[in-house]
Amino acid sequence: MSKRIHELLHRNLQEVFGEGDAARRRAAIDELYTEDCELYVPPGKFIGREALDKFAGDLRATHPHFVYTPHGEPQALHNAGRLAWGSGPRGAKPEYTGLDVIIIRGDKIAALYVFLDSMPS
């Protein structure tokens, strides 16, 4: 199970939140997430693949040239996992950092909690 959790964390970062192509992003969401998935982010709670897709697409549109880079290795514990990451222009210092925590049901993400860190000015 921990191998699958590591895969889900990495793929979510790159293929969902890092993906600029709407069709590829939606295909990844359908493959990686349960139909009734829950997303918890600072703006609020979003339920279902449609809501997740809209949130990820809207977020991507605000900084289409940013990349997501894992910081360290993912960790898995029972049916949960976490991965720290940074986001910013390729090759530059991240403009913001965060931590994804996922809860797995079956072999898909049922819930994603995104914690954002404060970045020094």
Side-chain angles (χ1 to χ4, degrees):
M1 177 66 102
S2 63
K3 183 178 178 181
R4 178 63 176 165
I5 290 171
H6 290 192
E7 175 191 354
L8 290 168
L9 285 161
H10 280 294
R11 289 187 64 196
N12 175 65
L13 195 62
Q14 302 306 328
E15 297 175 29
V16 176
F17 287 92
E19 180 56 64
D21 180 271
R24 285 195 302 257
R25 181 178 48 252
R26 183 53 199 241
I29 288 169
D30 289 345
E31 183 181 343
L32 303 175
Y33 280 86
T34 62
E35 287 186 38
D36 61 345
C37 62
E38 298 177 353
L39 169 65
Y40 297 88
V41 288
K45 176 181 176 181
F46 300 87
I47 299 175
R49 290 177 180 164
E50 293 292 330
L52 169 63
D53 188 24
K54 180 173 179 355
F55 180 84
D58 290 349
L59 178 64
R60 189 80 200 141
T62 66
H63 54 275
H65 62 290
F66 279 21
V67 295
Y68 287 89
T69 305
H71 289 177
E73 293 299 316
Q75 292 181 309
L77 180 64
H78 300 286
N79 69 328
R82 69 179 188 165
L83 178 64
W85 50 264
S87 184
R90 186 175 306 281
K93 181 179 175 185
E95 292 198 13
Y96 63 98
T97 60
L99 176 74
D100 287 350
V101 175
I102 60 173
I103 306 298
I104 305 304
R105 186 169 66 238
D107 67 345
K108 294 188 177 194
I109 300 170
L112 168 62
Y113 296 81
V114 179
F115 296 86
L116 295 178
D117 302 317
S118 296
M119 293 299 290
S121 302

